[in-house]
Amino acid sequence: MTPSPSSAPTISARTAGVRGSAIRDLLTLTARPDVISLAGGLPAADLLPRERIARAAAEALTDPGAVQYGETAGLARLREVVAAHETGRGTGGARGPVRAADVVVTSGSQQALDLLARAVLDPGDAVVIEDPGYVGALQVFQAAGARVVPVGLDEHGMRVDELADRLAAGLRPRLVHTVSSFHNPRGVTLAAERRRALAELAERHGFLVVEDDPYGLLSFDGPPPEPVAAHGERVVRLGSASKVLAPALRVGWLVGPPEIAAAVELLRQGADLCGSTLTQAIAADLLADHDWFAGHLDTLRRAGAARAAAFTGAVAELLPGATWSRPTGGMFCWLELPAGTDTTAALPRALEAGVGFVPGSAFAVGGALPSAARCCFASHPPEVLREAARRLATVLAVPSGRGRST
């Protein structure tokens, strides 16, 4: 029997179970010129190195291969540069230098996470994710049909002790996902001793750690944190050029054991065949220009530190009674208002007042987070951030008494 024209097409059960991203939905509303958006995790447009990218693009275009199809695993030159970059971060650990063959270049690190999930997960597999969690990871694991298990966070990152208790009680995850440095959304960083403990648990119990690290180079004080991958071999690292060069390049990468890299490369053949050879050549040029890149990172770090200080200082003054994370890098500040505050209900009023944020409920994994909000401080200069905090205070007023950082 031929279906009637009004019959709705069916979608898979996996797709039907995927939660939408409140952040993506918010971007349309916060794109209004009268709204100061603290919602999207957007790097500062004024700090994107457009002139240096233009020079690299012009140089790349002298090679006809820059506008041709490329290797599925990525441009060989970029894989070599990323391998050297990751080796310098300590990723190889006891295994020694990272090889280009251990690197797969992807269209942003989100694609790397999706391909990795498809490569190693079967429906029903347990996956541990931090709570509150990165929305993009939650979507990927739901689409893979995984059973998501939340583990809490505190000011020192993932509660690895809580994970250890779950493992002792019989939990056997296939993956443990962590945004280890300058967490999205919570803003915290996994402590060094917890990084070692997590890698040891992975070795002991046979799961894979997915270290999602797009923000690690954006540390405000001192060198970037040492990767979890420095402490064990059952770690796959995801990296990105989006936060340190430009999102529009759509360059990310995965670094992991050879069998994982091979499986991800195979799946990418069916996903998009290959990425942009042109933007990969641009990224390779910029990342390999060590003096320029070091100076560029210094600029990003100084600006980020000043913006974080301006925003948190304004929050302390204008939102007494609130608590907030004290950013030491990255892009995000996590606000917690007193019990009874409903940030989801307050959002429409905030948009009317000309400021946007993401309610904490968008990141909730195991339970509701009605009184929390994520704010991105990276996108605006200090004076705009102070005005954003003033507007927030008009809709998130809390009882008197000075707030505190966490």
mmCIF file with all atom_site columns, all heavy atoms in Angstrom, residues 302-313:
data_model
loop_
_atom_site.group_PDB
_atom_site.id
_atom_site.type_symbol
_atom_site.label_atom_id
_atom_site.label_alt_id
_atom_site.label_comp_id
_atom_site.label_asym_id
_atom_site.label_entity_id
_atom_site.label_seq_id
_atom_site.pdbx_PDB_ins_code
_atom_site.Cartn_x
_atom_site.Cartn_y
_atom_site.Cartn_z
_atom_site.occupancy
_atom_site.B_iso_or_equiv
_atom_site.pdbx_formal_charge
_atom_site.auth_seq_id
_atom_site.auth_comp_id
_atom_site.auth_asym_id
_atom_site.auth_atom_id
_atom_site.pdbx_PDB_model_num
ATOM 1  N N   . ARG A 1 302 ? 46.144 36.725 27.867 1.00 0.00 ? 302 ARG A N   1
ATOM 2  C CA  . ARG A 1 302 ? 46.037 38.002 28.581 1.00 0.00 ? 302 ARG A CA  1
ATOM 3  C C   . ARG A 1 302 ? 44.632 38.571 28.464 1.00 0.00 ? 302 ARG A C   1
ATOM 4  O O   . ARG A 1 302 ? 44.049 39.045 29.442 1.00 0.00 ? 302 ARG A O   1
ATOM 5  C CB  . ARG A 1 302 ? 47.068 38.999 28.041 1.00 0.00 ? 302 ARG A CB  1
ATOM 6  C CG  . ARG A 1 302 ? 48.499 38.711 28.472 1.00 0.00 ? 302 ARG A CG  1
ATOM 7  C CD  . ARG A 1 302 ? 49.384 39.927 28.223 1.00 0.00 ? 302 ARG A CD  1
ATOM 8  N NE  . ARG A 1 302 ? 49.362 40.338 26.821 1.00 0.00 ? 302 ARG A NE  1
ATOM 9  C CZ  . ARG A 1 302 ? 50.198 39.881 25.896 1.00 0.00 ? 302 ARG A CZ  1
ATOM 10 N NH1 . ARG A 1 302 ? 51.125 38.996 26.227 1.00 0.00 ? 302 ARG A NH1 1
ATOM 11 N NH2 . ARG A 1 302 ? 50.123 40.295 24.645 1.00 0.00 ? 302 ARG A NH2 1
ATOM 12 N N   . ALA A 1 303 ? 44.097 38.533 27.245 1.00 0.00 ? 303 ALA A N   1
ATOM 13 C CA  . ALA A 1 303 ? 42.743 39.056 27.045 1.00 0.00 ? 303 ALA A CA  1
ATOM 14 C C   . ALA A 1 303 ? 41.727 38.232 27.816 1.00 0.00 ? 303 ALA A C   1
ATOM 15 O O   . ALA A 1 303 ? 40.806 38.781 28.448 1.00 0.00 ? 303 ALA A O   1
ATOM 16 C CB  . ALA A 1 303 ? 42.405 39.063 25.554 1.00 0.00 ? 303 ALA A CB  1
ATOM 17 N N   . GLY A 1 304 ? 41.865 36.913 27.785 1.00 0.00 ? 304 GLY A N   1
ATOM 18 C CA  . GLY A 1 304 ? 40.928 36.062 28.510 1.00 0.00 ? 304 GLY A CA  1
ATOM 19 C C   . GLY A 1 304 ? 40.965 36.312 30.001 1.00 0.00 ? 304 GLY A C   1
ATOM 20 O O   . GLY A 1 304 ? 39.918 36.365 30.660 1.00 0.00 ? 304 GLY A O   1
ATOM 21 N N   . ALA A 1 305 ? 42.162 36.459 30.555 1.00 0.00 ? 305 ALA A N   1
ATOM 22 C CA  . ALA A 1 305 ? 42.288 36.716 31.988 1.00 0.00 ? 305 ALA A CA  1
ATOM 23 C C   . ALA A 1 305 ? 41.634 38.047 32.360 1.00 0.00 ? 305 ALA A C   1
ATOM 24 O O   . ALA A 1 305 ? 40.932 38.146 33.383 1.00 0.00 ? 305 ALA A O   1
ATOM 25 C CB  . ALA A 1 305 ? 43.763 36.717 32.388 1.00 0.00 ? 305 ALA A CB  1
ATOM 26 N N   . ALA A 1 306 ? 41.846 39.091 31.537 1.00 0.00 ? 306 ALA A N   1
ATOM 27 C CA  . ALA A 1 306 ? 41.253 40.396 31.822 1.00 0.00 ? 306 ALA A CA  1
ATOM 28 C C   . ALA A 1 306 ? 39.734 40.333 31.726 1.00 0.00 ? 306 ALA A C   1
ATOM 29 O O   . ALA A 1 306 ? 39.015 40.927 32.542 1.00 0.00 ? 306 ALA A O   1
ATOM 30 C CB  . ALA A 1 306 ? 41.806 41.439 30.849 1.00 0.00 ? 306 ALA A CB  1
ATOM 31 N N   . ARG A 1 307 ? 39.228 39.591 30.752 1.00 0.00 ? 307 ARG A N   1
ATOM 32 C CA  . ARG A 1 307 ? 37.777 39.494 30.578 1.00 0.00 ? 307 ARG A CA  1
ATOM 33 C C   . ARG A 1 307 ? 37.144 38.683 31.707 1.00 0.00 ? 307 ARG A C   1
ATOM 34 O O   . ARG A 1 307 ? 36.073 39.049 32.213 1.00 0.00 ? 307 ARG A O   1
ATOM 35 C CB  . ARG A 1 307 ? 37.479 38.901 29.204 1.00 0.00 ? 307 ARG A CB  1
ATOM 36 C CG  . ARG A 1 307 ? 37.899 39.844 28.092 1.00 0.00 ? 307 ARG A CG  1
ATOM 37 C CD  . ARG A 1 307 ? 37.775 39.274 26.687 1.00 0.00 ? 307 ARG A CD  1
ATOM 38 N NE  . ARG A 1 307 ? 38.327 40.243 25.736 1.00 0.00 ? 307 ARG A NE  1
ATOM 39 C CZ  . ARG A 1 307 ? 37.983 40.336 24.458 1.00 0.00 ? 307 ARG A CZ  1
ATOM 40 N NH1 . ARG A 1 307 ? 37.111 39.490 23.942 1.00 0.00 ? 307 ARG A NH1 1
ATOM 41 N NH2 . ARG A 1 307 ? 38.514 41.259 23.689 1.00 0.00 ? 307 ARG A NH2 1
ATOM 42 N N   . ALA A 1 308 ? 37.808 37.601 32.097 1.00 0.00 ? 308 ALA A N   1
ATOM 43 C CA  . ALA A 1 308 ? 37.281 36.806 33.213 1.00 0.00 ? 308 ALA A CA  1
ATOM 44 C C   . ALA A 1 308 ? 37.243 37.636 34.492 1.00 0.00 ? 308 ALA A C   1
ATOM 45 O O   . ALA A 1 308 ? 36.266 37.589 35.253 1.00 0.00 ? 308 ALA A O   1
ATOM 46 C CB  . ALA A 1 308 ? 38.139 35.559 33.416 1.00 0.00 ? 308 ALA A CB  1
ATOM 47 N N   . ALA A 1 309 ? 38.300 38.405 34.733 1.00 0.00 ? 309 ALA A N   1
ATOM 48 C CA  . ALA A 1 309 ? 38.358 39.229 35.938 1.00 0.00 ? 309 ALA A CA  1
ATOM 49 C C   . ALA A 1 309 ? 37.280 40.305 35.921 1.00 0.00 ? 309 ALA A C   1
ATOM 50 O O   . ALA A 1 309 ? 36.647 40.590 36.949 1.00 0.00 ? 309 ALA A O   1
ATOM 51 C CB  . ALA A 1 309 ? 39.743 39.874 36.068 1.00 0.00 ? 309 ALA A CB  1
ATOM 52 N N   . ALA A 1 310 ? 37.053 40.911 34.748 1.00 0.00 ? 310 ALA A N   1
ATOM 53 C CA  . ALA A 1 310 ? 36.029 41.948 34.648 1.00 0.00 ? 310 ALA A CA  1
ATOM 54 C C   . ALA A 1 310 ? 34.646 41.375 34.922 1.00 0.00 ? 310 ALA A C   1
ATOM 55 O O   . ALA A 1 310 ? 33.839 41.965 35.655 1.00 0.00 ? 310 ALA A O   1
ATOM 56 C CB  . ALA A 1 310 ? 36.072 42.590 33.261 1.00 0.00 ? 310 ALA A CB  1
ATOM 57 N N   . PHE A 1 311 ? 34.363 40.200 34.353 1.00 0.00 ? 311 PHE A N   1
ATOM 58 C CA  . PHE A 1 311 ? 33.037 39.619 34.530 1.00 0.00 ? 311 PHE A CA  1
ATOM 59 C C   . PHE A 1 311 ? 32.813 39.156 35.964 1.00 0.00 ? 311 PHE A C   1
ATOM 60 O O   . PHE A 1 311 ? 31.792 39.475 36.575 1.00 0.00 ? 311 PHE A O   1
ATOM 61 C CB  . PHE A 1 311 ? 32.827 38.458 33.565 1.00 0.00 ? 311 PHE A CB  1
ATOM 62 C CG  . PHE A 1 311 ? 31.460 37.841 33.664 1.00 0.00 ? 311 PHE A CG  1
ATOM 63 C CD1 . PHE A 1 311 ? 30.346 38.542 33.247 1.00 0.00 ? 311 PHE A CD1 1
ATOM 64 C CD2 . PHE A 1 311 ? 31.293 36.574 34.193 1.00 0.00 ? 311 PHE A CD2 1
ATOM 65 C CE1 . PHE A 1 311 ? 29.074 38.000 33.361 1.00 0.00 ? 311 PHE A CE1 1
ATOM 66 C CE2 . PHE A 1 311 ? 30.031 36.006 34.311 1.00 0.00 ? 311 PHE A CE2 1
ATOM 67 C CZ  . PHE A 1 311 ? 28.912 36.724 33.883 1.00 0.00 ? 311 PHE A CZ  1
ATOM 68 N N   . THR A 1 312 ? 33.767 38.411 36.518 1.00 0.00 ? 312 THR A N   1
ATOM 69 C CA  . THR A 1 312 ? 33.573 37.905 37.877 1.00 0.00 ? 312 THR A CA  1
ATOM 70 C C   . THR A 1 312 ? 33.573 39.045 38.896 1.00 0.00 ? 312 THR A C   1
ATOM 71 O O   . THR A 1 312 ? 32.850 38.990 39.901 1.00 0.00 ? 312 THR A O   1
ATOM 72 C CB  . THR A 1 312 ? 34.638 36.860 38.250 1.00 0.00 ? 312 THR A CB  1
ATOM 73 O OG1 . THR A 1 312 ? 35.946 37.425 38.077 1.00 0.00 ? 312 THR A OG1 1
ATOM 74 C CG2 . THR A 1 312 ? 34.502 35.617 37.375 1.00 0.00 ? 312 THR A CG2 1
ATOM 75 N N   . GLY A 1 313 ? 34.362 40.083 38.644 1.00 0.00 ? 313 GLY A N   1
ATOM 76 C CA  . GLY A 1 313 ? 34.337 41.233 39.533 1.00 0.00 ? 313 GLY A CA  1
ATOM 77 C C   . GLY A 1 313 ? 32.989 41.919 39.521 1.00 0.00 ? 313 GLY A C   1
ATOM 78 O O   . GLY A 1 313 ? 32.465 42.320 40.577 1.00 0.00 ? 313 GLY A O   1
#
